[in-house]
């Protein structure tokens, strides 16, 4: 089955994230992208909506202060028009060294060959428990 341009773009974003290639990730994101995470992560400086490349870079710079490591494993891609929804799991390692596999849903909205919105949906209670362990 041939992959759509939308799926190729979203997969490239995960590849950039895995490679820790911020420049490649930013090339995929619209300069005014909305980068959205659950408000329940606000206590850790990771909740809410960040706007633009500077907002995304600020978010990414904050992550290492909260977790020691994270690896995303996208498993299923569902496409509808300008949206790609990804179901997957992430292996998150706490600062204390404990690793747990947590489910996520990412909703990507694409326009003109770039991501204009990425929303990360996950169980913040489980994430909190891991961070605080």
């Amino acid at each position: 089955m041939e992959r759509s341009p939308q799926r190729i773009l979203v997969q490239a974003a995960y590849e950039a994230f895995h490679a820790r290639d911020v420049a490649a990730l930013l090339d995929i994101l619209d300069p005014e992208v909305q980068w959205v995470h659950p408000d329940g992560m606000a206590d850790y400086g990771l909740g809410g909506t960040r706007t633009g490349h500077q907002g995304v870079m600020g978010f990414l710079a904050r992550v290492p202060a909260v977790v020691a490591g994270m690896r995303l494993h996208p498993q299923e891609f569902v496409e509808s028009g300008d949206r790609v929804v990804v179901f997957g799991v992430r292996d998150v390692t706490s600062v204390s060294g404990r690793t747990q596999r947590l489910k996520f849903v990412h909703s990507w909205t694409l326009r003109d060959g770039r991501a204009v919105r990425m929303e990360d949906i996950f169980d913040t209670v489980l994430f909190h428990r891991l961070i605080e362990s």
Side-chain angles (χ1 to χ4, degrees), residues 69-118:
M70 184 180 310
R71 182 85 178 168
L72 300 174
H73 306 282
Q75 298 176 321
E76 181 180 356
F77 294 76
V78 179
E79 298 177 53
S80 180
D82 64 355
R83 181 159 304 182
V84 177
V85 177
V86 180
F87 296 86
V89 294
R90 66 177 122 219
D91 294 322
V92 181
T93 302
S94 69
V95 174
S96 68
R98 185 170 160 245
T99 300
Q100 187 171 350
R101 182 161 277 196
L102 304 171
K103 294 178 183 179
F104 70 80
V105 176
H106 289 163
S107 175
W108 294 84
T109 304
L110 310 170
R111 190 172 304 118
D112 299 326
R114 289 193 137 169
V116 296
R117 181 178 173 91
M118 193 292 297

Side-chain angles (χ1 to χ4, degrees), residues 35-55:
W35 191 260
V36 184
H37 286 78
D39 289 336
M41 296 302 292
D43 289 351
Y44 302 101
L46 298 176
T49 300
R50 308 292 171 90
T51 303
H53 289 180
Q54 289 297 326

Side-chain angles (χ1 to χ4, degrees), residues 8-25:
I8 291 169
L9 184 74
V10 171
Q11 285 181 312
Y14 289 108
E15 290 166 11
F17 186 81
H18 286 283
R20 299 190 192 293
D21 188 342
V22 175
L25 178 61

